[in-house]
Amino acid sequence: LVGGSSRRKPLLDADVGHDVGPTTVQEKIENNVTKFERMASHLANERTFLAWIRTAVSVAGLALTYSDFFHHPNNVPFFYWMSTLFSWGVCLATFFVGLSRYQRVKFVLNLPKTQITNRFGRTGITIIIASFSTFLVLLTIVYIDEVWRDQGL
C-alpha cells in the first residue's frame, strides 16, 4: 500500500502510457531473470509468427494460382471473382490472426508468473481452419468441373 491507499500498483501507467517498471533493485533483478528464463519462449513465439506469415504467403500463392486457373473470367465469372476474393480474404485473415497471436503471446510472456492464466482463445485459428477447408473444397469442386468440361463429360 502506498500512502495509505488501498490501490495496487498498476502494471501500466494510464497517464503516461508505458510500463511503470520495477522500483527496487530486487524487482529489477527478478524482472531480468524472468526475461532470461523466457528467452526460448520469446524466440519460439517469433518462429511461430514467421510460420503464420509463411502460411499467409502460401495461401496468397494459391489465390494467384486459383485466379490464373480461370484465365477467362467470362466462362464462369461467379467462380472467378468469388474464389479470388475469398482466397485473398483467407490470406489476410491468416496474417492478422498470426499477428494477433504473436502480440498476445508476447504480452503474456512479459507478465509476472503470478498473473499468467491458462485461458488462450482459439477462435481465430478455428475460423482460419474452417475458411481454408472451405477454400480447398471449393477449389476441388471447380477443378473437377473444369476437367469434366474439357473431356466433354
Side-chain angles (χ1 to χ4, degrees):
L1 299 175
V2 178
S5 70
S6 62
R7 218 173 105 182
R8 291 181 53 151
K9 179 180 165 186
L11 289 176
L12 297 175
D13 188 357
D15 297 329
V16 182
H18 63 279
D19 288 327
V20 174
T23 55
T24 66
V25 174
Q26 180 66 26
E27 286 178 350
K28 289 179 183 178
I29 292 172
E30 288 174 4
N31 192 17
N32 287 334
V33 168
T34 300
K35 285 182 182 178
F36 183 72
E37 287 176 348
R38 297 180 183 170
M39 187 184 326
S41 297
H42 280 287
L43 294 173
N45 187 32
E46 290 177 6
R47 284 191 306 270
T48 303
F49 177 59
L50 291 174
W52 277 100
I53 291 175
R54 187 174 56 243
T55 303
V57 168
S58 297
V59 173
L62 283 174
L64 290 173
T65 302
Y66 196 56
S67 63
D68 190 46
F69 182 68
F70 296 108
H71 52 280
H72 299 292
N74 294 335
N75 292 345
V76 274
F78 176 77
F79 282 120
Y80 176 79
W81 291 110
M82 291 309 295
S83 63
T84 302
L85 293 175
F86 182 76
S87 40
W88 280 111
V90 171
C91 172
L92 291 174
T94 302
F95 174 76
F96 286 115
V97 167
L99 181 64
S100 171
R101 303 260 324 151
Y102 169 74
Q103 291 173 340
R104 188 179 314 157
V105 170
K106 185 176 180 180
F107 175 77
V108 168
L109 288 174
N110 289 326
L111 289 175
K113 289 180 182 179
T114 58
Q115 294 181 352
I116 296 176
T117 63
N118 288 335
R119 291 201 62 218
F120 243 115
R122 297 213 177 348
T123 306
I125 295 173
T126 304
I127 291 170
I128 293 297
I129 290 172
S131 299
F132 196 66
S133 299
T134 304
F135 169 71
L136 291 177
V137 167
L138 180 65
L139 178 65
T140 304
I141 290 170
V142 173
Y143 178 75
I144 290 171
D145 182 54
E146 281 293 314
V147 168
W148 284 351
R149 283 185 191 185
D150 288 344
Q151 293 179 355
L153 297 176

